[in-house]
Amino acid sequence: MVPSGNIKDDMQAPPLDTSNSPYEWASYYHSLGLCVIPASEGRPTIGWKPYADLEQDRPDDKQLRTWFRGESVRSDRLQLYVVCGRVSNVVVLDCDSEQADRWWRDLLGDDVMDSTARALSGSGRGHHYWFRIVDGRPQKGHSVHDSDTGIEWDLRGDGGGVVMPPSGHKSGGQYSWVRGL
């Protein structure tokens, strides 16, 4: 399955920086139609399945304020996490290696890969490429981790999610936008 649509077509670079609060970031991502929930160490800290299964609406502003007050997003104890798939109308290609990045560039072309929103993972060794779902159909996730070739990637669709910039990573690094939403 090839992701549909380029997320840059209707989203602008974040008007925020790392000095903004977790709530301000969550509110910004929410305003773009994304389903934002809290995470810690790369895992959601609340039940996320009802959102992924479209059984529950995206969290509202009151809920975001409750979840995202307090700690800095530079800590991996409080991370911004987006539930992918139809609830956020996005799929994210998570390339965990340079080999995976090259493989996808060969498949989709540099024009596609360079024109979509892209974040550097908190570990500093991979990228998240963002694509808009344009047809509303379910988008299943898929993973490839081939130790022989070094190709490691995940497609985060319905039932998946990713940690968002500027969240901290357990390595001490920070997720950051290379080409913002």
Side-chain angles (χ1 to χ4, degrees):
M1 198 251 3
V2 176
S4 308
N6 183 321
I7 203 166
K8 284 296 294 180
D9 291 343
D10 59 349
M11 295 185 176
Q12 303 299 313
L16 307 172
D17 61 34
T18 56
S19 68
N20 288 93
S21 72
Y23 165 73
E24 289 169 315
W25 277 97
S27 181
Y28 169 71
Y29 290 140
H30 185 270
S31 76
L32 298 177
L34 302 176
C35 180
V36 186
I37 61 173
S40 180
E41 297 181 1
R43 303 273 186 236
T45 56
I46 62 150
W48 59 271
K49 194 96 170 96
Y51 298 112
D53 292 342
L54 302 177
E55 296 169 0
Q56 189 168 335
D57 290 336
R58 291 182 309 129
D60 61 16
D61 186 69
K62 181 178 178 183
Q63 186 64 65
L64 293 177
R65 282 184 188 278
T66 301
W67 287 337
F68 293 106
R69 65 175 191 266
E71 294 187 54
S72 164
V73 288
R74 292 176 188 239
S75 162
D76 70 332
R77 292 183 307 273
L78 176 61
Q79 296 171 315
L80 300 151
Y81 186 93
V82 166
V83 180
C84 296
R86 291 172 294 161
V87 68
S88 291
N89 207 31
V90 296
V91 293
V92 176
L93 174 61
D94 181 356
C95 291
D96 293 326
S97 66
E98 287 182 34
Q99 295 88 337
D101 205 321
R102 279 195 300 277
W103 189 85
W104 277 98
R105 285 179 177 281
D106 288 346
L107 181 67
L108 298 177
D110 287 337
D111 288 346
V112 170
M113 299 298 280
D114 290 338
S115 65
T116 195
R118 178 173 37 137
L120 179 65
S121 71
S123 68
R125 59 176 209 124
H127 289 98
H128 298 165
Y129 294 90
W130 290 73
F131 297 90
R132 174 76 61 203
I133 297 172
V134 295
D135 59 11
R137 294 184 314 189
Q139 304 292 321
K140 293 187 178 180
H142 187 74
S143 294
V144 170
H145 295 270
D146 186 334
S147 58
D148 293 335
T149 63
I151 294 175
E152 301 176 31
W153 59 268
D154 301 287
L155 186 65
R156 310 291 180 151
D158 288 326
V162 293
V163 176
M164 298 291 292
S167 298
H169 186 270
K170 65 183 176 184
S171 68
Q174 189 171 8
Y175 292 81
S176 61
W177 288 111
V178 174
R179 182 174 172 94
L181 287 172

